[in-house]
Amino acid sequence: MAAPTYVPGHGLLTGRAAVVTAGAGAGIGGATVRRFLEEGARVVIGDAHARRTKEAVAALAAEFGAARVDGVRCDVTDESEVAALFDLAERSHGGLDIVVNNAGLGGTAALTEMTDEEWHRVVDTTLTGTFRCTRAALRRLRATGGQGVVVNNASVLGWRAQAGQAHYAAAKAGVMALTRCAALEAAPHGIRVNAVAPSLALHPHLAKVTSAEVLDELTAREAFGRPAEPWEIANVIVFLASGYSSYMTGETVSVSSRHP
């Protein structure tokens, strides 16, 4: 089944200021940055790749205007770089309305062969990195009077088992639990915290690190018989960041056509 026609922007995020981590690549983060800009938001990109961040900011600034997009290198395992990212958002846009925690790290290793380093590397980026950025977001949103939205990128592997993915699945399940707990703590301040859980969104990096055989097997499990386009996941993130989801918090939305 062919992917649907790309959906144009409708101004759903006009005037909002957003931070998107791991937002300079060709995957879900990059698609989210573009969709946010198309919906009228101002965006600060954080990404662990400094050159890629600079190039992404330059390209998007040429298209959407330099006043609407900025970026800085941000490794979410480094608390000082997380702070610098949020500082830039406040300097560039005078405040903050939306945070998308997209940064994550995968890998494949059988549990009996997995090293402590492999486990900690995935968990520190995917789960603890989301914690660091959520903590920074809630502190700053509360200090400026509350309101605002946090959207975390989880995964269907937080619910479903897949061999070789114990570290990644555990981290993503943790992101779901973190989302629920953060939502309860943030609700009295008018701040919403939700998550998306994609199944298979195909992009160049995934194709580079995953064998064709595995991708074919995963694709065969999808009800539509194809992977999601990254922008299809980004559309749901736009929904969660917008006023259309104003009574949703603590939820993890499956963005998937996958069957058991």
Side-chain angles (χ1 to χ4, degrees):
M1 184 180 294
T5 303
Y6 192 83
V7 180
H10 290 80
L12 298 181
L13 304 177
T14 298
R16 311 291 295 282
V19 163
V20 180
T21 65
I28 294 170
T32 299
V33 169
R34 173 166 289 277
R35 293 302 288 143
F36 273 31
L37 290 166
E38 291 169 347
E39 293 292 351
R42 307 183 306 278
V43 182
V44 171
I45 300 169
D47 197 283
H49 300 272
R51 179 182 57 81
R52 190 168 68 186
T53 302
K54 184 177 180 179
E55 291 172 352
V57 168
L60 292 167
E63 184 175 355
F64 294 98
R68 291 186 55 205
V69 60
D70 206 342
V72 66
R73 182 189 187 278
C74 179
D75 179 344
V76 297
T77 68
D78 186 325
E79 175 62 23
S80 65
E81 294 194 10
V82 170
L85 172 64
F86 283 86
D87 287 345
L88 176 61
E90 293 184 344
R91 289 198 308 272
S92 296
H93 303 308
L96 185 64
D97 301 294
I98 303 162
V99 174
V100 178
N101 290 315
N102 174 68
L105 183 67
T108 301
L111 188 60
T112 53
E113 307 301 322
M114 189 181 297
T115 66
D116 283 10
E117 192 278 332
E118 287 174 312
W119 173 273
H120 288 302
R121 185 165 175 259
V122 169
V123 172
D124 194 21
T125 299
T126 306
L127 175 56
T128 311
T130 299
F131 154 72
R132 290 186 186 98
C133 292
T134 300
R135 178 177 62 189
L138 296 185
R139 284 174 174 172
R140 292 175 189 242
L141 289 170
R142 288 174 60 173
T144 56
Q147 304 300 312
V149 182
V150 177
V151 184
N152 297 324
N153 191 359
S155 168
V156 294
L157 289 186
W159 291 310
R160 299 168 179 160
Q162 184 172 315
Q165 296 295 312
H167 46 3
Y168 185 75
K172 290 299 189 179
V175 169
M176 293 177 180
L178 172 66
T179 297
R180 292 190 294 270
C181 293
L184 283 180
E185 294 186 23
H189 304 278
I191 303 165
R192 299 188 295 110
V193 186
N194 291 293
V196 295
S199 55
L200 180 63
L202 189 60
H203 51 85
H205 178 69
L206 179 64
K208 184 170 63 175
V209 300
T210 308
S211 70
E213 292 77 15
V214 170
L215 288 176
D216 288 344
E217 177 187 351
L218 295 175
T219 298
R221 299 180 189 177
E222 299 292 324
F224 292 143
R226 66 170 179 86
E229 297 289 336
W231 61 264
E232 292 181 285
I233 312 301
N235 282 348
V236 181
I237 294 174
V238 167
F239 163 71
L240 292 174
S242 77
Y244 280 112
S245 60
S246 59
Y247 202 67
M248 288 179 65
T249 197
E251 296 294 334
T252 296
V253 180
S254 176
V255 192
S256 170
S257 70
R258 189 175 180 183
H259 55 80

